[in-house]
Each structure stands twice: as structure tokens, then as C-alpha cells.
Amino acid sequence: MSDAGKSGAALAAGVDRDLVFEIEQFLYREARLLDEERYDEWLATMAPDVHYWMPGIQARYRADKADLISRTRMAYFDDDLDYLTKRVERAKQTTAWAEDPPTRHFHMVSNIEVEATEIPDEWVVHSLVLNLRHRNEAEEQTLTARRQDLVRRDETGALKLARRLIRLQQTVLQAKNMNAFL
Amino acid sequence: MSAPFAKGPAAPADLPRDEAPAPAPGPGPLDEAAVRAMVDSEQGWIDRRIFWDPQVYALEMERTFARCWIFVAHDSQIPEVGDFLTTYVGEDAVIVARARDRQVHAFINSCSHRGNRVCFAEAGSARRFTCNFHGWSYALDGSLSGVTAEELYKDNPTFDRSKLGLHKARVESHGGMHFACFDPEAPSLADYLGEFRWYLDVLLDNDEGGIEFVDGNIKSRLKCNWKFPAEDFVGDAYHATWTHSSALQALFGNIPTMKADRSFQVNANGHGWDFGLDFISNAATLCEPEIVEYLRENEVRFAERLGKMRSRMVGSLSSATVFPNLSFLAGHNTFRTWNPKGPAETELHTWVFLNRNAPDSLKEKYRRGVMLTFSPAGIFEMDDGENFEHCTASNAGVVTRRRKLHTGLGLGSEVEHPELKGNVHRNQVNEANHRAFYQRWTDLMTAPNWADVPVR
């Protein structure tokens, strides 16, 4: 899914403004569902075969031949729909102490680019996400990440998230936990 | 000197009397008596000052981290000559590398010339470590191997290459776990671990191939004193069903019961493990049936190797800490270190491990299972950080600090056991291991020399 060799015109091929607008709205709405803790509706935006992946990020030298990220390394999320559902189930418990009083989530999504793929109803979507979490009196944590999604139109005509790779900017998570979806 | 304010009315006689022990002393000078008074491991009272006071923290860095054996790497993380990783011993940055002698070496990550860091990657493979400042380079064993324009030092009376290597630690290992120690007077790692080695082998030696670490680790910063998570793992089974109620409900729809007569806390030299004899409960929370099947299939083999009693610990409801800052969960198969970054900040490093000879497919199951449960995004662990941070932050209040904390659960629960080694207490829901951890902490904090530190 490299951009190399693609001209702006080729990128735009098969991607009209209406589609870009629709996908932007899909991502903005997803962000608001997360901010409002509407997790069941959020899960409903996922394709059944979704892969939701936030790998651990390592600081390695440029000369290092090892992959920058790898499926065999530890990750924050390397989830299918079953795992995501388990996480949501925990967040919904009245004894989820870290969520009560609620974490005040803020998801800002930007720099959205849409690319066509070989498959007519699937698009690669790049975006940036800024997540702020405020808790209790003065706790404030910032997460920033680059995302690469695969968005698919299913048989009902609805857009679904089929893949998400979240490249966190921090190698050492500057927070006590990651009780947020990005 | 006259009082600046008029004396107020006397407190009414019916105010509730303070039933707790005498108020803890304020932040006076930190002599041996003051440190001793902070921990009452007989009755279970802890002065909150140990979680807050910068003086206490500074002494901890000197007398625990700079003197103890600190876990730095497992053999499988750096299998080849040239493989290295960077980590910390206390707040000291260290490089751990496998040198041409195939041995694991650990040394301070700071150039002997100006002190600059000589390695910035967290892992990789290298032939040498070269300082960006003037180009001095160091071999994989930490010795000084190259100096830019070395002729400049010709006939220099104080320049001696052999004395300008990076500051080396002693490195010793048990079951492939490498520990570093910067105190030449410290006992051997074997003596430091003492009878706890017998317990560590439950994980490190239940199979002839030993263990290996899954690639990579997850690092995170908690705004807590390092001792809160360390004591949590040394023996806080009590919190498990309450703090982690949401995860247990989400996964299983009910809360497990811990059996007082089928569970223990054991400790030796301040290292502690609380466990049930249920064999499987920790492993089962990973929600990966293949892991449970693997353990069941090998139950008899584990027992042949470890004896029946220890084999029941391989995946059981449990947690443990090797003093001061290496913790682990049997069954979940996670090791982690709590690296101090000041009195109120800790960097957590989390790894996943499994038996080297386990089927390859299990590596993926453990990797994902630990991620789902005990990592910063894990549905169990995310409620822990909340507790540790607020236990630390509350001590900012001077009045708050006047009351000691009660750590007296399970007083009088010590038993003689025909098989179990070390100090044994019945019922894993207990704070015997907390008291042993802080006894060891007090021993080290008040001992000028290792010879003054008793075997516990």
C-alpha cells in the first residue's frame, strides 16, 4: 500500500468527492461514538473480520534490519471482534473503577486521505488521530497516532472498518493505562 | 516567642480519639532509627513517608537498587553475539549485550569522557557502542575499544584505556534470567534469591527447554511510587477479586473464590509469591483454550519434574515479586519490572514468556492473551494503575501522612509445611508477603554493609 509512483490523479481514480466526504463522515462519527462511550454502536461499525492493531513501537537504529513493527511483537491491541467485544464488556461493568467517574475522551481526526484498492468496495484510508483523556481533578493524557484503515462497503451499503493499524507516536506510553480506542 | 495567633478554644472532649499508633514523624533527618520507625513488619504498620519522601527515595536508590540484583534480560532476548538491549538499574541507564565470549555483559550507558549516552536504541545488534560526542567507542563487553585521534593522548599520564571502559556490573543468571548488580560486596545471585530459587523453577524449569521471551515489550509510565506495584505483586491476592471485578465479570460472569486452606503465601529474603493450588486459574483468564489444554496435557510431566506440590503452581491464581522490582504472574506468563523515576513515577516494562518447547502456536496465544489482560491496555491491568497512582498522590497531604497504613492482614498465619520452602503462611489472601517485603527493605535501608543484612 505504498504511495510510491502514484500521481495525484491515479490516487483520485475511483475515489470521487462524494466518497471522500462519506468516509470522512464515517470517521468523524466513529470518533463521536467513542467520545460518548456508545461502544455497542461503535462495535457495529466493524466488519466481522476486523483486525484492530496497535503495535508496540520501538526506538531502533536506522541501520537495524528488523521491521519497525511486527505482528510477532507485543502490542497494545492485536484484536479481532471477539477481543474488542470483551474490552467493551469490561468498560460497561459498574465495577470498572477506572471509568467511574467517567474518563472524558476527546478524539480529533484529521489529514484524511482515501485511496482506491484492487477491490472496488474497499479503500485504504490514512488519518491522524489526537486523543485527550481527562480524568478526575487534573489528570490529562495525550495520545497521538497515525492510522491506516481499510474501509469496506458491505452488502447492505454501509461502510465498515475492516482493518486498522494504529502507529502510536510514543515508544514509552506516557500514561498509567490505555483505556481508550484510537 | 509569642504565639502568632490567639489560642483557639480547646478541642471538645468527645472528638474521636486517634486509635492508630503515634503519628509518624515529620520529614526530619533520615538516620537509621528514623528509617526503622517507618516500618513495623511485626504488627503491619507502614509510614506513608516511604512512598513520598525524596530523602527516602534517594536512600533507596543507594541502598536497594545500587546494591541488589536487578533483572536486566532473559537469555532469549539477546541470543547472538552483538545482540543488545538497553534498560535501567534504578535510574541508571544500562546496556546489556552478548559479547564475543558469548557471555552477557551489563554496563552503564554513559561515556567515560563526558558522560553522554552511548546507545540510544532500545534493542538491536551492534559491533560496538560509539559516543556521538567525540567518537569514543566501546566493545560489546563495555571495554574502551577506540578513541578518536588517540595520538592526542600519547604520553598522557592519566589516560589509561584499561581504566576507561564503561562501568561494568556483575552479571549472574538463574534459569536464563540475567541479573545485574553494581555492588562488589553483594552476595551471589544464588544466595540473594535464597530459597526463592526453588519457587522460580516452577516457571523457569517446569520443562527441560526452560522458557523464552516473546519479542518486544510494552513500556508505560505510571505516576506512582515503585513500591506500590511491587508490593501488589508480592502478595496482594486480596485486591484481585475487587479491583479486577469488572474484567472477571466481563470474561466469566462471576468472581472466583480463593480457598484459604488450599492457598499460601511464601517468601524468602523479601521475595514473595502468593498462590493457590488450583493449577490453572491464572492461565484460564487468558481466554485461550489451547493454553489450558497444553497445561492439562503436561500436568503429569510438570509433577515429575517439580513434585506434585510445586506443579500445582504452574498456572494457578497467583502473583509474585523478586525484591525489589521484578514481578510476574504464573499462568499469565508475564514478567515485568517497575523502574523508579523519582518518588512518584515508575516506568513499567512488560514481557510475555512461555516454555521454549511449547507448540509454536502457543506463542501467539500467550502474546495476545497477556495483551488482553495484563498490559497497559489489558482489561485487568488498567484498573491497577488507577489504584497505584492515587495511593501515591494522596500522600502529598501533610495531615494525610500522619496516619500510618495498616498492613496487618493474616498476622499469625505462619505455618510449618513439610514441603514448601522459605517462610510459609496459609491463605494467599494475606499481607504476610507485604510485611516480609518491607522487612527486607528496612534491612537494606539500615545496613551500611551487606554483611549487616540478615538472611530472611
Side-chain angles (χ1 to χ4, degrees), chain A residues 52-64:
Chain A
Y52 182 94
W53 183 31
M54 186 192 294
I57 303 295
Q58 294 188 327
R60 285 174 174 262
Y61 283 120
R62 290 178 189 274
D64 195 327

PDB file of all heavy atoms in Angstrom, chain A residues 52-64:
ATOM      1  N   TYR A  52      -7.844  -5.061  14.411  1.00  0.00           N
ATOM      2  CA  TYR A  52      -7.608  -3.767  15.053  1.00  0.00           C
ATOM      3  C   TYR A  52      -6.261  -3.870  15.763  1.00  0.00           C
ATOM      4  O   TYR A  52      -6.130  -4.587  16.765  1.00  0.00           O
ATOM      5  CB  TYR A  52      -8.761  -3.504  16.031  1.00  0.00           C
ATOM      6  CG  TYR A  52      -8.708  -2.182  16.739  1.00  0.00           C
ATOM      7  CD1 TYR A  52      -9.380  -1.073  16.235  1.00  0.00           C
ATOM      8  CD2 TYR A  52      -8.018  -2.047  17.941  1.00  0.00           C
ATOM      9  CE1 TYR A  52      -9.354   0.145  16.896  1.00  0.00           C
ATOM     10  CE2 TYR A  52      -7.985  -0.837  18.616  1.00  0.00           C
ATOM     11  CZ  TYR A  52      -8.655   0.249  18.091  1.00  0.00           C
ATOM     12  OH  TYR A  52      -8.636   1.445  18.750  1.00  0.00           O
ATOM     13  N   TRP A  53      -5.262  -3.178  15.247  1.00  0.00           N
ATOM     14  CA  TRP A  53      -3.877  -3.445  15.670  1.00  0.00           C
ATOM     15  C   TRP A  53      -3.163  -2.168  16.072  1.00  0.00           C
ATOM     16  O   TRP A  53      -3.052  -1.242  15.260  1.00  0.00           O
ATOM     17  CB  TRP A  53      -3.134  -4.125  14.510  1.00  0.00           C
ATOM     18  CG  TRP A  53      -1.722  -4.523  14.811  1.00  0.00           C
ATOM     19  CD1 TRP A  53      -1.195  -4.905  16.007  1.00  0.00           C
ATOM     20  CD2 TRP A  53      -0.631  -4.594  13.877  1.00  0.00           C
ATOM     21  NE1 TRP A  53       0.129  -5.217  15.887  1.00  0.00           N
ATOM     22  CE2 TRP A  53       0.506  -5.030  14.592  1.00  0.00           C
ATOM     23  CE3 TRP A  53      -0.527  -4.340  12.509  1.00  0.00           C
ATOM     24  CZ2 TRP A  53       1.745  -5.204  13.975  1.00  0.00           C
ATOM     25  CZ3 TRP A  53       0.717  -4.522  11.907  1.00  0.00           C
ATOM     26  CH2 TRP A  53       1.834  -4.951  12.635  1.00  0.00           C
ATOM     27  N   MET A  54      -2.693  -2.128  17.305  1.00  0.00           N
ATOM     28  CA  MET A  54      -1.828  -1.047  17.779  1.00  0.00           C
ATOM     29  C   MET A  54      -0.549  -1.694  18.293  1.00  0.00           C
ATOM     30  O   MET A  54      -0.471  -2.146  19.436  1.00  0.00           O
ATOM     31  CB  MET A  54      -2.497  -0.243  18.896  1.00  0.00           C
ATOM     32  CG  MET A  54      -1.688   0.978  19.329  1.00  0.00           C
ATOM     33  SD  MET A  54      -2.303   1.724  20.869  1.00  0.00           S
ATOM     34  CE  MET A  54      -3.908   2.316  20.357  1.00  0.00           C
ATOM     35  N   PRO A  55       0.474  -1.795  17.443  1.00  0.00           N
ATOM     36  CA  PRO A  55       1.704  -2.485  17.865  1.00  0.00           C
ATOM     37  C   PRO A  55       2.502  -1.646  18.865  1.00  0.00           C
ATOM     38  O   PRO A  55       2.363  -0.426  18.908  1.00  0.00           O
ATOM     39  CB  PRO A  55       2.486  -2.636  16.558  1.00  0.00           C
ATOM     40  CG  PRO A  55       1.997  -1.530  15.678  1.00  0.00           C
ATOM     41  CD  PRO A  55       0.558  -1.290  16.067  1.00  0.00           C
ATOM     42  N   GLY A  56       3.326  -2.321  19.648  1.00  0.00           N
ATOM     43  CA  GLY A  56       4.308  -1.611  20.458  1.00  0.00           C
ATOM     44  C   GLY A  56       5.325  -0.977  19.526  1.00  0.00           C
ATOM     45  O   GLY A  56       5.691  -1.576  18.516  1.00  0.00           O
ATOM     46  N   ILE A  57       5.752   0.233  19.841  1.00  0.00           N
ATOM     47  CA  ILE A  57       6.692   0.952  18.981  1.00  0.00           C
ATOM     48  C   ILE A  57       8.068   0.932  19.651  1.00  0.00           C
ATOM     49  O   ILE A  57       8.177   1.192  20.841  1.00  0.00           O
ATOM     50  CB  ILE A  57       6.245   2.419  18.784  1.00  0.00           C
ATOM     51  CG1 ILE A  57       4.832   2.468  18.196  1.00  0.00           C
ATOM     52  CG2 ILE A  57       7.239   3.181  17.905  1.00  0.00           C
ATOM     53  CD1 ILE A  57       4.696   1.913  16.803  1.00  0.00           C
ATOM     54  N   GLN A  58       9.090   0.583  18.896  1.00  0.00           N
ATOM     55  CA  GLN A  58      10.442   0.538  19.449  1.00  0.00           C
ATOM     56  C   GLN A  58      11.316   1.612  18.827  1.00  0.00           C
ATOM     57  O   GLN A  58      11.150   1.951  17.659  1.00  0.00           O
ATOM     58  CB  GLN A  58      11.085  -0.828  19.180  1.00  0.00           C
ATOM     59  CG  GLN A  58      10.388  -1.962  19.917  1.00  0.00           C
ATOM     60  CD  GLN A  58      11.164  -3.268  19.801  1.00  0.00           C
ATOM     61  OE1 GLN A  58      11.800  -3.529  18.786  1.00  0.00           O
ATOM     62  NE2 GLN A  58      11.109  -4.069  20.838  1.00  0.00           N
ATOM     63  N   ALA A  59      12.244   2.124  19.624  1.00  0.00           N
ATOM     64  CA  ALA A  59      13.266   3.035  19.098  1.00  0.00           C
ATOM     65  C   ALA A  59      14.465   2.172  18.690  1.00  0.00           C
ATOM     66  O   ALA A  59      15.156   1.616  19.540  1.00  0.00           O
ATOM     67  CB  ALA A  59      13.665   4.039  20.171  1.00  0.00           C
ATOM     68  N   ARG A  60      14.646   2.017  17.396  1.00  0.00           N
ATOM     69  CA  ARG A  60      15.779   1.236  16.888  1.00  0.00           C
ATOM     70  C   ARG A  60      16.582   2.093  15.910  1.00  0.00           C
ATOM     71  O   ARG A  60      16.067   3.038  15.340  1.00  0.00           O
ATOM     72  CB  ARG A  60      15.287  -0.027  16.149  1.00  0.00           C
ATOM     73  CG  ARG A  60      14.806  -1.118  17.081  1.00  0.00           C
ATOM     74  CD  ARG A  60      14.204  -2.278  16.296  1.00  0.00           C
ATOM     75  NE  ARG A  60      13.866  -3.388  17.165  1.00  0.00           N
ATOM     76  CZ  ARG A  60      14.653  -4.462  17.344  1.00  0.00           C
ATOM     77  NH1 ARG A  60      15.791  -4.585  16.683  1.00  0.00           N
ATOM     78  NH2 ARG A  60      14.288  -5.423  18.170  1.00  0.00           N
ATOM     79  N   TYR A  61      17.841   1.726  15.727  1.00  0.00           N
ATOM     80  CA  TYR A  61      18.682   2.485  14.797  1.00  0.00           C
ATOM     81  C   TYR A  61      18.223   2.286  13.351  1.00  0.00           C
ATOM     82  O   TYR A  61      17.675   1.239  12.995  1.00  0.00           O
ATOM     83  CB  TYR A  61      20.145   2.067  14.948  1.00  0.00           C
ATOM     84  CG  TYR A  61      20.802   2.665  16.172  1.00  0.00           C
ATOM     85  CD1 TYR A  61      21.337   1.861  17.173  1.00  0.00           C
ATOM     86  CD2 TYR A  61      20.884   4.057  16.317  1.00  0.00           C
ATOM     87  CE1 TYR A  61      21.944   2.427  18.291  1.00  0.00           C
ATOM     88  CE2 TYR A  61      21.491   4.623  17.442  1.00  0.00           C
ATOM     89  CZ  TYR A  61      22.016   3.805  18.419  1.00  0.00           C
ATOM     90  OH  TYR A  61      22.594   4.367  19.522  1.00  0.00           O
ATOM     91  N   ARG A  62      18.458   3.307  12.520  1.00  0.00           N
ATOM     92  CA  ARG A  62      18.078   3.232  11.107  1.00  0.00           C
ATOM     93  C   ARG A  62      18.708   2.039  10.406  1.00  0.00           C
ATOM     94  O   ARG A  62      18.113   1.448   9.511  1.00  0.00           O
ATOM     95  CB  ARG A  62      18.515   4.509  10.373  1.00  0.00           C
ATOM     96  CG  ARG A  62      17.723   5.739  10.754  1.00  0.00           C
ATOM     97  CD  ARG A  62      18.253   6.957  10.016  1.00  0.00           C
ATOM     98  NE  ARG A  62      17.662   8.197  10.521  1.00  0.00           N
ATOM     99  CZ  ARG A  62      16.502   8.699  10.084  1.00  0.00           C
ATOM    100  NH1 ARG A  62      15.827   8.081   9.142  1.00  0.00           N
ATOM    101  NH2 ARG A  62      16.034   9.808  10.601  1.00  0.00           N
ATOM    102  N   ALA A  63      19.954   1.707  10.802  1.00  0.00           N
ATOM    103  CA  ALA A  63      20.667   0.608  10.138  1.00  0.00           C
ATOM    104  C   ALA A  63      20.111  -0.764  10.526  1.00  0.00           C
ATOM    105  O   ALA A  63      20.450  -1.768   9.909  1.00  0.00           O
ATOM    106  CB  ALA A  63      22.150   0.679  10.497  1.00  0.00           C
ATOM    107  N   ASP A  64      19.271  -0.791  11.547  1.00  0.00           N
ATOM    108  CA  ASP A  64      18.720  -2.046  12.035  1.00  0.00           C
ATOM    109  C   ASP A  64      17.818  -2.662  10.970  1.00  0.00           C
ATOM    110  O   ASP A  64      16.912  -2.019  10.455  1.00  0.00           O
ATOM    111  CB  ASP A  64      17.914  -1.758  13.308  1.00  0.00           C
ATOM    112  CG  ASP A  64      17.590  -3.014  14.096  1.00  0.00           C
ATOM    113  OD1 ASP A  64      17.406  -4.070  13.476  1.00  0.00           O
ATOM    114  OD2 ASP A  64      17.529  -2.918  15.330  1.00  0.00           O
TER     115      ASP A  64
END
